[in-house]
Every structure is written in structure tokens, then in C-alpha cells.
Amino acid sequence: MSLDADAAPKRRPTRAEAKARTRQLLLDAAARTYARKGFAGASVEEIAEAAGFSIGAVYSNFGSKERLFVELLRERAGEHVSRATRIVADAQAGVDDPAPALGRLLAHVADDDPDFAPLQAEFWLYAVRNPQLMETLAEQLRGPRAEMENLMGTALEHIGARESVSAEAVATITMALFQGLVRQRRIDPASVPDDLLGQAMQWLFTGIATTGTADTAATDETAAADDTAGTDDTTSADPPEEKR
């Protein structure tokens, strides 16, 4: 009996698997095409050809060149947030110090993926000039934002932050900080050393923890002052005049 006869027949991919593979090939081709020609310069025809599909495959899977680009941004942002989540989880397990590890993540995005920040900035400018895309962009990035919010919520619990400190707000600040530092490193690498993101996050959380302590101390001091004032008023009150 031949080896071919003994070999198990290959399973044909399901329709969902085939669709997922097509989408990923289109995203990979889009990333290469956008990196080479920019968002405005890349055409649907070029992206489809680079992926080995017809133009119809782009439209049937994404609807438009803009939505394809937004999905690419969402995928990249999700990868970065997931990696940051693993870094923090490893730190909490005692595997690694989160500060230098976060710095290495920033360095990777700025240095090893140099096309991401310029394309992100280019599309942001395009969306500003085409406001109908803003909601599409915001909607696609809500997934990575939610993951970042969960991560920040865990970190806030770890430092004992007040309940009034919003994990959503801290997530927004963190993502803006990351994006800003990536762009600044692309402009002037020496101004953003590898450890700056980790330091900035330490400063942020130290400030949050310190603010909570300061507010508690201020509240205690105010309460103590009120008690003292009440005692002084009672003590210094003039005695009633005697009747003549």
C-alpha cells in the first residue's frame, strides 16, 4: 500500500475559515501597499492585486478602502494593547519589571514598525476632513480601548487608587501618551529613550496614588479643624450675666 493511500485526506477549510483567510491576506497586502504608497496613494486595485484577489474581494469583505484601513488600524492597536496586557500580567506574576518592558514595546512600535505612526496620522487627517469616517474610526478602536481599560482597572486596584479614579480616563491618557511618544521618537529618537514610557507610567500612577493620599489627609485635617473650632466656640463662650 502506498504512502499516499495511507495519508489522511486533507480537510477542506470551512466557509468561515476561507473568509477569515481572505480577510487576513487582504489586510497583509493593504499594510504593505499603504506602507509603500501611503493611504491616499494606495488604490483598491493595487491592494487586491497584491493579495491575489479581485477588487470585489475588497468590497465584499470591507466595503471600502477606508474601512479596510480602519480595520488595519484596529488590528495593529489590538496587538499593541494585548502585548502591554501580557507585560503587566508578567510583572504581577514576578516575571518581569513592567517599566523597561513597556519601554521595549514603545521602541518596537517606533523603530521596527516605522510605518504605523505615519499612516495613523495620515488617516486621522483624512478623517478630520471627512467627518463621516470619525464614528467608524472610533467604533473600530473601542475594542482595544476596552482591553486597555480593563488593564488600567487592574493596575488601579493594585495601587489602591480611589474608586473615583476612572479606569476609562486613565486608559485614554495612556493610549494618548503612547501614541505621542511613538511619534516623538520617530521625529527625534534621542528625545525618547527606551525607558521613557515606563518612567512616564510610573509617574502617572505615583501621582494617582499620591493624590488619593493627599485628598484623604486634607479631609482629615478639615474634619479636625472643624472639631477644634467647635470646641473653641464652646470653651470661649461668655458666661450669662448675673441678675442684679
Side-chain angles (χ1 to χ4, degrees):
M1 186 176 294
S2 67
L3 292 176
D4 291 338
D6 292 337
K10 292 184 178 180
R11 183 181 67 85
R12 294 185 61 183
T14 64
R15 185 172 182 178
E17 290 171 341
K19 183 177 179 64
R21 181 175 180 276
T22 299
R23 283 177 61 87
Q24 191 57 55
L25 289 173
L26 287 169
L27 285 169
D28 293 342
R32 296 191 302 271
T33 307
Y34 287 136
R36 189 176 71 255
K37 306 196 70 172
F39 171 75
S43 68
V44 173
E45 290 83 358
E46 289 173 303
I47 294 170
E49 182 179 355
F53 295 104
S54 66
I55 298 174
V58 176
Y59 289 111
S60 64
N61 281 276
F62 298 99
S64 66
K65 184 179 81 167
E66 291 84 359
R67 288 183 175 273
L68 170 59
F69 189 83
V70 169
E71 177 63 22
L72 182 63
L73 284 182
R74 185 204 63 76
E75 183 182 66
R76 293 286 184 85
E79 290 173 358
H80 298 156
V81 173
S82 296
R83 187 170 173 183
T85 300
R86 291 193 297 272
I87 288 171
V88 173
D90 288 344
Q92 291 176 339
V95 176
D96 198 2
D97 182 353
L102 287 171
R104 289 193 296 271
L105 172 59
L106 183 142
H108 165 73
V109 174
D111 303 342
D112 299 336
D113 191 9
D115 301 316
F116 178 74
L119 285 173
Q120 191 178 42
E122 182 183 357
F123 188 80
W124 179 85
L125 184 59
Y126 180 83
V128 168
R129 293 170 176 168
N130 298 271
Q132 71 276 10
L133 287 174
M134 277 297 189
E135 178 54 31
T136 301
L137 180 61
E139 181 181 354
Q140 287 295 326
L141 294 179
R142 284 184 185 125
R145 278 176 53 83
E147 187 175 352
M148 176 61 75
E149 184 178 340
N150 291 334
L151 176 60
M152 291 300 104
T154 301
L156 290 172
E157 289 180 5
H158 183 71
I159 67 171
R162 294 172 299 152
E163 292 183 0
S164 60
V165 178
S166 167
E168 180 181 3
V170 176
T172 298
I173 293 169
T174 301
M175 294 182 77
L177 179 65
F178 182 84
Q179 291 172 0
L181 288 176
V182 166
R183 292 182 186 181
Q184 180 61 26
R185 184 172 171 115
R186 294 284 294 129
I187 296 170
D188 183 7
S191 69
V192 185
D194 291 355
D195 61 348
L196 185 57
L197 176 63
Q199 288 180 348
M201 293 304 298
Q202 287 181 334
W203 293 333
L204 174 63
F205 279 94
T206 298
I208 290 172
T210 303
T211 299
T213 303
D215 289 348
T216 301
T219 301
D220 292 342
E221 289 178 3
T222 301
D226 291 342
D227 291 343
T228 302
T231 302
D232 291 344
D233 290 343
T234 303
T235 304
S236 62
D238 295 332
E241 296 183 2
E242 294 182 1
K243 292 182 180 180
R244 295 175 180 257

